[in-house]
Amino acid sequence: MESVIERIKRGSFSQFHGGIHPPEQKFLTCSKPIASAQIPEQLIIPIRQHIGQAGNVMVKVGDKVLKGQILSDCDSPMSVPIHAPTSGTITAIKSMAIPHPSGLSEACIILTPDGEDTWKQRHICPDFHLLSKTQILEKIANAGISGMGGAGFPTQVKVSTLAKIDYLIINAAECEPYITADDLLLQEHSPTILDGIKILDHLLTPKNILIGIEENKTKAIAALKKATADTDHIDVCVIPTKYPSGGEKQLIQILTGQEVPSGVLPSSLGIVMQNVATCFAIADAVINDTPLIKRVVTVSGQALEKPQNIWALIGTPVGFLTGQCGYNNSQNMHLIMGGPMMGFSLPHDQIPVIKTTNCILAPSEIEIASPFSSTSSKEVECIRCGQCADVCPAQLLPQELLWSAKAKDQAQLAKLNLFDCIECGACAYVCPSQIPLVHYYRVAKAEIRQQKLLDIKAEKAKVRFEARKQRLEREKVARVEKHKKAAEARKARMNTDTSAAKSEKSAVADALARVKAKKAQASIKQNTAEGSLTSTVEMTAEPVDDSKSQVANAIARAKAKKIAQKNQAQIEPLDTLQNNELPSSSQAAPVVIDKKAKVDLAITKEKANENKPQAETISNSPTAQVNTTTKALLIEVVNLASVSDDKATQALNKKVKVAAAIAKAKAKAKTKTAASLAAETSFDRTEPSTTPANIDVMQDSDTENQVKNIEEAKAKNLAIKSQQISNATSSSIKSEQDSMLATQADIVATKKARVAAVVAKAKAKKLADSSNKSTTSE
Ligand code: SF4
Ligand code: SF4
């Protein structure tokens, strides 16, 4: 079977689908030498001139830079650095319009040349064989070389492939009309291009090297054949002229007969393709240590006086180049970057030349009909003629792509393999409806790329959200665990028998008590607020709800009865003590104590005489509870006054105070009976037994020794009684509070209970004052 090389040597090539033969118009520039680069007043250098990410800017405004100095580095394989095309000063770093069909603006470095064109230090390496592959790849990467045929793919990535390469194809087809940059580069610099091909041969070690060039470039073909005459595995393949034979997939098919499937890289088929301009840049970088700072640009069109190819510094405004070629812009005609088939119109002439710029067109009105031209035709509806599909080299369905693009149906565009479109413009060229099909495809591609970016951002945001959620959950679990451990440690500490543990226990108990008190206070406040609207009326003895009043009365009666029984139990021992158990012997006692003891005894006796016959009667009165409690407390207070120098009595004094406070709280907790209590608890001035008349009787009755003994016994009994009263009162209050809450009568009672408490407190104070006065008078 005939091999590919044998077939090529025989001059037989495969054909790709479709294609067109537009007017070449290469005669304008193909026979003129490349003009040397001139330095403009200002260079506009976009940071991103390739497919991939932009590099990091390494200079700042005001920096002086040398020719070839790096301006941005890269930390990603898909990022390519940029360099200063000449020496000068960085005057700005700002967003400016870049060469793109969308007219987008991106960050650009503005360099004002100093005119000296001073190079940075370079290391020339005439023999690249002395370098390792890694060093060569590093030089290519540091030189900022990206595909100069138009794609802008980072070259170091393309030539770093580990795949086994069968064919290294050098693309010299340059099929688009008007463009002759590669043609002239081949004519003038074939040896350097061959050096670049040899470097690629050294890196990729392909089985065959094929240079594809269209048959319309006779001078370039001759130069190439002369340069490659001494090489045995490099074949110059002269192919038929047909647009777009310079497309990557199309040229591969022409030379090797293989079709590259959709979504598959040529390297996976063992094929790598490089442009001739890229080969020149590789040689310049590896051998001359020269970064990619200039390129050949075809400046053509019948609107120019001197169309020609020019060495242009990267960043040169197109207006500067067209000015070199005698462009008269008096008619304000538009410029095109790229060829007439794949190029795009520029918004103004200050758009800079970048690494992928191969042509600037300044067409006359009769050359290219355009929307800006008076001779342009207007777009009409698709007539479904199918001519676009016939010429499509990617075998797509351009009319269906058009409809889906107009409908923004991205799913359908994906099914129609929109991204296989090489934007060759052949479909638009043949369209009888003058539809700018490529424009629609570019917009659709940009929208899909934008949507993909948004999807990626959304996915990243989702990942961040999930990570945050998990982190918060972990922190919550850790916090709970930490608190649990701390609680266990605290519990362990408190269980130890140390003073610190006791102190901590006490602190915890105090804290709990404060919390409870706060809760109770809040509850009372809430109840008070709820009952505020009716409190005024109720305090002025308005009749209250019968059911609530009955409940409150029942509680008050039960309480009064209970306290009366307790009082009775307290008084009986005192009677016994007074009548039967007085000690026979006694010691001399201070006069004050003697008097107080007598007063105490008289009070006790009178109280006993009062309580005994009336206990049953007063227990039914709401006032009985308060009066009885008050009397008992008064007795104890008076007794305490007489034994204040005794330690046990001091303790009792505290307990009595506690009992008084509890009685006050209890009075506050009174509900429905408050009104009646307030009415009935009017102070009974005849009740206290500490009147001067009673004291006189006591003075006449007993001896001082007997009184002292009685006092001691009474102090002891009072201590017991006080404790009993305190306990009974606390229990009573608690049960009452529960009952009150259960009966929901506490709203009105709170106010009334406060009144009762105030009355009780006043009564107690008055009684105490009276007692003191009587004691003093004695
Ligand atoms: S060539 Fe134009 S008119 Fe014809 S089918 Fe294609 S888009 Fe429609
Ligand atoms: S521009 Fe796209 S759709 Fe049109 S012919 Fe070229 S590859 Fe086909």
Side-chain angles (χ1 to χ4, degrees), residues 408-469:
K408 299 188 183 300
D409 187 347
Q410 295 188 356
Q412 185 63 20
L413 287 169
K415 283 183 184 174
L416 294 170
N417 297 318
L418 172 66
F419 281 89
D420 282 352
C421 170
I422 59 172
E423 302 176 15
C424 67
C427 53
Y429 181 80
V430 300
C431 178
S433 297
Q434 299 290 323
I435 300 172
L437 295 163
V438 181
H439 170 74
Y440 285 106
Y441 305 153
R442 284 172 176 161
V443 171
K445 285 180 178 179
E447 288 175 350
I448 292 173
R449 289 191 187 106
Q450 182 67 19
Q451 187 58 49
K452 282 183 179 176
L453 286 175
L454 292 175
D455 291 345
I456 291 170
K457 281 185 179 177
E459 186 61 30
K460 286 181 178 176
K462 185 181 175 185
V463 170
R464 284 199 303 273
F465 172 76
E466 291 296 333
R468 180 178 180 274
K469 194 176 168 186

Side-chain angles (χ1 to χ4, degrees), residues 558-578:
K559 182 180 172 187
K561 188 175 180 180
K562 199 169 182 179
I563 293 174
Q565 289 170 351
K566 286 178 183 173
N567 285 339
Q568 182 64 32
Q570 294 162 9
I571 292 165
E572 285 174 1
L574 290 175
D575 289 340
T576 305
L577 183 65
Q578 182 188 359

Side-chain angles (χ1 to χ4, degrees), residues 518-536:
K518 199 170 181 180
K519 281 184 180 176
Q521 194 174 8
S523 176
I524 289 170
K525 281 183 179 176
Q526 185 182 0
N527 292 335
T528 304
E530 289 171 355
S532 60
L533 292 176
T534 57
S535 61
T536 305

Side-chain angles (χ1 to χ4, degrees), residues 285-602:
V286 174
I287 297 171
N288 299 323
D289 194 18
T290 301
L292 181 50
I293 56 173
K294 67 177 183 179
R295 67 156 299 147
V296 178
V297 178
T298 299
V299 185
S300 188
Q302 293 185 10
L304 302 170
E305 292 179 2
K306 300 182 293 180
Q308 60 184 333
N309 284 284
I310 301 176
W311 279 108
L313 297 177
I314 302 299
T316 303
V318 295
F320 183 78
L321 295 179
T322 54
Q324 278 186 260
C325 299
Y327 179 53
N328 182 3
N329 197 26
S330 59
Q331 297 178 348
N332 199 26
M333 291 185 295
H334 71 287
L335 297 171
I336 296 172
M337 181 170 280
M341 304 299 293
M342 300 182 71
F344 53 89
S345 297
L346 299 176
H348 51 76
D349 64 357
Q350 291 304 301
I351 302 297
V353 168
I354 60 173
K355 295 175 182 177
T356 55
T357 303
N358 57 1
C359 181
I360 302 294
L361 278 184
S364 63
E365 288 191 22
I366 59 173
E367 278 184 296
I368 299 177
S370 75
F372 307 97
S373 170
S374 58
T375 59
S376 65
S377 301
K378 300 301 179 186
E379 174 185 347
V380 295
E381 285 300 312
C382 171
I383 59 174
R384 305 191 182 190
C385 66
Q387 291 185 46
C388 50
D390 291 341
V391 300
C392 178
Q395 301 186 52
L396 302 176
L397 298 171
Q399 73 275 30
E400 292 193 20
L401 285 170
L402 171 68
W403 302 331
S404 299
K406 283 184 173 179
K408 299 188 183 300
D409 187 347
Q410 295 188 356
Q412 185 63 20
L413 287 169
K415 283 183 184 174
L416 294 170
N417 297 318
L418 172 66
F419 281 89
D420 282 352
C421 170
I422 59 172
E423 302 176 15
C424 67
C427 53
Y429 181 80
V430 300
C431 178
S433 297
Q434 299 290 323
I435 300 172
L437 295 163
V438 181
H439 170 74
Y440 285 106
Y441 305 153
R442 284 172 176 161
V443 171
K445 285 180 178 179
E447 288 175 350
I448 292 173
R449 289 191 187 106
Q450 182 67 19
Q451 187 58 49
K452 282 183 179 176
L453 286 175
L454 292 175
D455 291 345
I456 291 170
K457 281 185 179 177
E459 186 61 30
K460 286 181 178 176
K462 185 181 175 185
V463 170
R464 284 199 303 273
F465 172 76
E466 291 296 333
R468 180 178 180 274
K469 194 176 168 186
Q470 291 175 4
R471 177 176 58 79
L472 291 177
E473 192 63 32
R474 285 196 305 272
E475 288 177 355
K476 184 180 176 184
V477 170
R479 198 163 48 244
V480 169
E481 187 65 22
K482 182 182 175 185
H483 290 168
K484 188 179 175 185
K485 286 181 179 176
E488 289 174 352
R490 186 168 58 248
K491 196 173 179 182
R493 279 199 314 273
M494 290 170 66
N495 287 335
T496 58
D497 193 18
T498 62
S499 60
K502 288 176 183 174
S503 173
E504 193 168 1
K505 234 183 227 182
S506 174
V508 171
D510 290 347
L512 289 173
R514 284 196 298 274
V515 170
K516 283 183 180 176
K518 199 170 181 180
K519 281 184 180 176
Q521 194 174 8
S523 176
I524 289 170
K525 281 183 179 176
Q526 185 182 0
N527 292 335
T528 304
E530 289 171 355
S532 60
L533 292 176
T534 57
S535 61
T536 305
V537 177
E538 290 166 351
M539 289 300 290
T540 54
E542 281 288 326
V544 296
D545 181 72
D546 287 340
S547 60
K548 293 179 180 177
S549 176
Q550 287 171 5
V551 172
N553 288 335
I555 292 168
R557 282 196 300 274
K559 182 180 172 187
K561 188 175 180 180
K562 199 169 182 179
I563 293 174
Q565 289 170 351
K566 286 178 183 173
N567 285 339
Q568 182 64 32
Q570 294 162 9
I571 292 165
E572 285 174 1
L574 290 175
D575 289 340
T576 305
L577 183 65
Q578 182 188 359
N579 298 330
N580 305 322
E581 298 177 6
L582 287 175
S584 57
S585 61
S586 62
Q587 297 176 355
V591 176
V592 175
I593 294 176
D594 181 20
K595 288 182 178 178
K596 288 178 180 175
K598 288 176 181 177
V599 169
D600 291 340
L601 187 58

